[in-house]
Amino acid sequence: MSSTDDTVPDRSFLKKNEDSSSLSVRAWVRRDALPCKRSHSCEVLTSPTDSSVALRAKDLVHAVQSGTGVRTLCYDSGYLNTIMAKSSITFIDGERGVMRYRGIPIEQLAEQSSFLETAFLLIFGDLPSQTQLEQFSKLVADHSFLHTDICDYMRSFRYDAHPMGIFISSMAALATTISAGDLQHLDKHIYRILGQASTLAANAYRHRIGRAFNEPRSDLGYTENFLYMLDRLSEDDYRPHPAIVRALDVLWIVHADHELNCSTACMRHLMSARVDPYTAIGGAASALFGPSHGGAAEAVVRQLERIQTVDKIEPFLDRVKAKEERLFGFGHRVYKSFDPRARILKEQVEKILELIGVEEPLFLVAKELERRALQDQYFRSRRLYPNVDFYSGVIYRALGFPTDFYPLLFAIPRIAGWLAHCREAQLAERELDLREHTHVIRPAQVYVGAAPRPFVPLHSGNRPPYQERDIECYRTRLSTRRRLGLLSGARLEERIE
Ligand code: CMC
């Protein structure tokens, strides 16, 4: 890495390992030794809010190449120490349990803002004025109506299809009814996606319960309209309970963004290939569906249902400690002292339970599980605390949502975050730093497979047997029936007799 001595005194250098079999690179950059950000060929990225510094991976490669001719890459399969974007949307300090959207503490937003106002803040960068918020809310509401083709498509799913599957496919299908490829009009796509996402989710729910879809209402707030579409039967004057509307607003505010989590990184990945935002949101929602990410709230409640009673908590925790199970709703890649979103939702749990007056044995199990895990050395030593999904699962359960609907309740608000990242990446490309954002995201791999070898034709008789394992076929009832059908007519009659 060539740099002037006065800008970066302690620079990276190469060191051959003792056994000469590998090279290691060490990079030292002292923050106080960085009067300017740019040295000759190595740009150092610094954060104004914390003390971290980062080197560009490609500068590291060039530095190593120029020194030795050997190409050095970073192996980081889980992105544990890799930065993929500069972003000014969400700030997280996992050590201190701090989270801010565009600089504003999440606690203040949860207490004083609405979901749509927070979505505006995330996507457009600042809090809206009264007029802007009204205009934005109207645009989103006006775009909440679906094309009838999409409604027909949604009705074509099986009655027991997972609602997240219906949602993901229908979101991607929106691109077929709208001229979606035109990223010049991203703001219009933003209103449509926000508006139609809640209608899609409500329809997925109604389809599962065999009821007609409700048309959205432009005169209701975002979360209120969503609950209305879910629950209205034939009443002309149906209105959801304001306390439940508020609880959902708070839930959706805390879920709206979380910097580069798995699904948001996926969104950035997809947008880097210039796919339309509807397809990209479908892809990001698919990433969110996994139980290690947005599927965790569902997994928490299923786990509580399996534990069933307080006396089974101890054996369950023993299995977790023996690594036979994971305690869903605990632990986080970033938060190592507490998850600020979980604190906010814990308060909401109390309020909702009081409002609804539900006496559910499952909530007792949840409380006791939390208490015991927090006291247990296994969890304490690994800094595993309840995360947002531990409480959101319990709230959704108390509000009577079916368990498989939870991932959708996470996906709708997270769309605000995905759109914010999509817009940020596009603006950066247009206005700020063309060089940086034009790359299609394309990580590298270490090839660990076979050395070069020739193709052996099947009939040559020289093909070595495939030894790794027998090819297994899981037999369903259907395939058993088919196997029976393979018998000749006479044998079939014999078998039937
Ligand atoms: N239950 C039991 N052990 C755990 C758990 C858990 N939930 N989480 C981590 N550990 C242990 C893990 O076995 C490992 O132990 P050891 O050092 O002995 O090998 C240690 O803690 C470090 O775990 P890790 O897997 O390296 O940590 P990670 O940062 O890669 O994992 C996580 C983060 C969220 C995937 C993980 O904590 C987990 O699987 N939690 C349960 C699923 C869950 O609740 N997910 C929702 C996350 S919050 C929603 C969001 O923001 O996306």
Side-chain angles (χ1 to χ4, degrees):
M1 191 173 304
S2 74
S3 65
T4 50
D5 281 353
D6 54 346
T7 51
V8 186
D10 282 330
R11 292 161 301 164
S12 66
F13 66 95
L14 277 175
K15 176 172 174 276
K16 198 111 177 157
N17 284 347
E18 299 291 306
D19 61 5
S20 301
S21 61
S22 60
L23 282 168
S24 63
V25 182
R26 287 196 261 156
W28 280 294
V29 182
R30 285 210 322 254
R31 189 175 163 73
D32 60 357
L34 295 170
C36 69
K37 281 189 181 176
R38 197 175 256 288
S39 62
H40 284 156
S41 63
C42 164
E43 186 176 355
V44 178
L45 307 178
T46 58
S47 163
T49 37
D50 65 34
S51 59
S52 59
V53 290
L55 306 179
R56 285 173 194 276
K58 74 177 191 295
D59 288 338
L60 198 59
V61 170
H62 290 318
V64 176
Q65 274 175 333
S66 61
T68 65
V70 178
R71 191 171 174 224
T72 301
L73 298 155
C74 306
Y75 177 51
D76 190 2
S77 62
Y79 285 0
L80 295 173
N81 195 30
T82 296
I83 287 171
M84 79 177 283
K86 289 192 228 167
S87 179
S88 40
I89 302 169
T90 295
F91 170 78
I92 299 174
D93 179 342
E95 287 298 322
R96 294 188 299 132
V98 174
M99 177 179 159
R100 301 183 203 120
Y101 291 158
R102 302 282 187 184
I104 303 177
I106 189 66
E107 292 80 4
Q108 292 178 20
L109 289 164
E111 202 175 320
Q112 298 171 54
S113 183
S114 66
F115 169 68
L116 222 47
E117 185 183 40
T118 301
F120 185 101
L121 169 73
L122 286 169
I123 297 169
F124 299 106
D126 223 332
L127 288 170
S129 66
Q130 181 65 34
T131 318
Q132 285 168 331
L133 183 58
E134 279 164 15
Q135 282 169 347
F136 179 59
S137 308
K138 181 164 174 3
L139 280 163
V140 170
D142 288 350
H143 285 92
S144 58
F145 293 81
L146 293 173
H147 196 291
T148 52
D149 286 355
I150 295 293
C151 293
D152 291 344
Y153 174 63
M154 297 188 85
R155 285 190 196 95
S156 72
F157 282 91
R158 283 179 61 101
Y159 69 96
D160 61 349
H162 196 293
M164 193 65 172
I166 304 180
F167 178 78
I168 290 167
S169 326
S170 311
M171 176 56 78
L174 284 182
T176 65
T177 63
I178 292 167
S179 88
D182 183 5
L183 283 178
Q184 294 301 315
H185 300 111
L186 182 60
D187 286 1
K188 185 154 188 180
H189 296 309
I190 288 172
Y191 311 137
R192 276 186 181 142
I193 290 171
L194 281 174
Q196 300 194 350
S198 64
T199 316
L200 289 177
N203 287 2
Y205 176 88
R206 299 285 290 192
H207 180 64
R208 285 293 303 280
I209 58 171
R211 297 224 157 104
F213 299 160
N214 280 319
E215 288 282 302
R217 278 200 22 200
S218 316
D219 59 323
L220 303 182
Y222 193 80
T223 38
E224 188 179 18
N225 175 49
F226 174 67
L227 290 168
Y228 166 86
M229 288 190 287
L230 289 185
D231 297 329
R232 177 191 166 258
L233 292 175
S234 58
E235 313 92 328
D236 289 333
D237 56 351
Y238 179 75
R239 293 295 285 264
H241 194 294
I244 297 180
V245 171
R246 182 62 203 150
L248 200 58
D249 244 14
V250 173
L251 270 155
W252 284 6
I253 288 169
V254 303
H255 278 98
D257 191 53
H258 208 232
E259 51 125 287
L260 285 175
N261 55 83
C262 177
S263 56
T264 308
C266 175
M267 182 76 190
R268 284 205 179 240
H269 245 270
L270 291 163
M271 293 309 297
S272 82
R274 307 284 187 274
V275 71
D276 69 82
Y278 304 87
T279 309
I281 297 266
S286 309
L288 186 89
F289 194 12
S292 294
H293 185 16
E298 178 177 349
V300 166
V301 171
R302 292 203 189 282
Q303 196 157 59
L304 292 172
E305 281 169 348
R306 266 195 300 124
I307 298 173
Q308 244 177 3
T309 47
V310 171
D311 58 305
K312 298 205 185 108
I313 291 177
E314 221 45 64
F316 167 76
L317 287 178
D318 288 342
R319 286 200 300 282
V320 171
K321 289 186 265 181
K323 304 219 184 280
E324 291 163 17
E325 304 223 26
R326 276 233 150 174
L327 174 51
F328 283 100
F330 263 68
H332 201 277
R333 173 65 59 81
V334 179
Y335 296 118
K336 299 298 174 194
S337 58
F338 67 91
D339 179 341
R341 304 167 301 168
R343 274 201 180 162
I344 294 167
L345 292 195
K346 191 172 183 182
E347 266 178 42
Q348 287 296 320
V349 173
E350 305 295 338
K351 282 190 194 160
I352 293 286
L353 294 184
E354 205 181 302
L355 173 79
I356 306 183
V358 204
E359 282 292 328
E360 259 246 30
L362 210 68
F363 302 140
L364 287 181
V365 176
K367 272 189 188 167
E368 190 55 20
L369 179 62
E370 180 199 5
R371 194 186 65 79
R372 291 198 201 174
L374 285 175
Q375 285 176 353
D376 197 300
Q377 194 48 28
Y378 174 92
F379 297 95
R380 291 168 75 98
S381 64
R382 288 170 180 77
R383 305 172 78 190
L384 302 171
Y385 299 92
N387 60 47
V388 69
D389 286 319
F390 190 78
Y391 300 110
S392 56
V394 175
I395 295 179
Y396 293 144
R397 169 84 178 203
L399 290 178
F401 288 109
T403 318
D404 60 6
F405 198 63
Y406 301 176
L408 273 99
L409 295 165
F410 189 165
I412 307 172
R414 187 51 61 87
I415 284 173
W418 296 332
L419 290 171
H421 282 265
C422 171
R423 195 167 183 277
E424 183 177 66
Q426 199 196 38
L427 282 182
E429 190 173 299
R430 269 206 224 143
E431 292 162 21
L432 300 175
D433 190 348
L434 263 172
R435 277 175 310 121
E436 186 161 342
H437 290 273
T438 44
H439 294 299
V440 170
I441 298 173
R442 204 292 187 195
Q445 64 159 17
V446 179
Y447 175 72
V448 293
R453 56 187 179 142
F455 175 75
V456 182
L458 186 59
H459 301 298
S460 67
N462 294 329
R463 184 175 289 186
Y466 178 63
Q467 283 173 345
E468 207 167 287
R469 66 179 170 90
D470 290 336
I471 296 173
E472 283 174 26
C473 175
Y474 171 71
R475 288 190 193 123
T476 61
R477 271 170 46 209
L478 208 65
S479 76
T480 313
R481 211 181 302 161
R482 199 177 311 128
R483 283 163 63 237
L484 186 70
L486 280 175
L487 299 171
S488 68
R491 286 182 60 206
L492 185 61
E493 276 163 29
E494 244 172 63
R495 174 72 72 91
I496 291 166
E497 276 165 20

